[in-house]
Amino acid sequence: VLPGGMARRGANPTALLAVYAEHGRLEEAARLAIAELRAHAQGADAATRTRFASAWFPMPLLMHVCDLVSQAPALDGLRAELESAIDEHRRRSEADSAKLAGFAARR
């Protein structure tokens, strides 16, 4: 179980994010994505983050929301924050994968 965010509460943040994006609720979509990305990073170990990362918030959905938010000039600050959160998530995912691969190679 992930340590924070909607996934911990048994909710489905991916579905909610998709609904927000589909209905033009871009500020809510961006805020949800940022909050969930941050919650995902806190407290979970590399194995847990890696196991749930792709199913939890698929990167194509995150990029789609980022593209939609970038089309709304009023949300430029939020767009920059979302892009930063996505980049941090990507770097952490790559580092987690490398860490786990190194651990598996030593076994």
Side-chain angles (χ1 to χ4, degrees), residues 27-95:
E27 182 175 353
E28 291 90 342
R31 291 191 187 284
L32 172 64
I34 292 165
E36 289 299 314
L37 286 168
R38 288 181 179 155
H40 182 256
Q42 295 176 346
D45 59 50
T48 302
R49 285 192 304 260
T50 301
R51 183 173 44 232
F52 291 108
S54 63
W56 166 74
F57 254 13
M59 192 56 71
L61 177 58
L62 288 170
M63 297 310 297
H64 175 65
V65 168
C66 195
D67 288 345
L68 291 173
V69 170
S70 72
Q71 296 172 17
L75 299 177
D76 277 348
L78 205 51
R79 177 201 45 79
E81 191 176 352
L82 178 57
E83 286 175 350
S84 176
I86 290 170
D87 287 343
E88 183 179 327
H89 174 70
R90 184 179 298 126
R91 283 191 304 272
R92 188 174 30 263
S93 294
E94 290 169 358

Side-chain angles (χ1 to χ4, degrees), residues 11-24:
N12 188 340
T14 302
L16 182 58
L17 184 64
V19 168
Y20 280 161
E22 183 178 325
H23 292 280

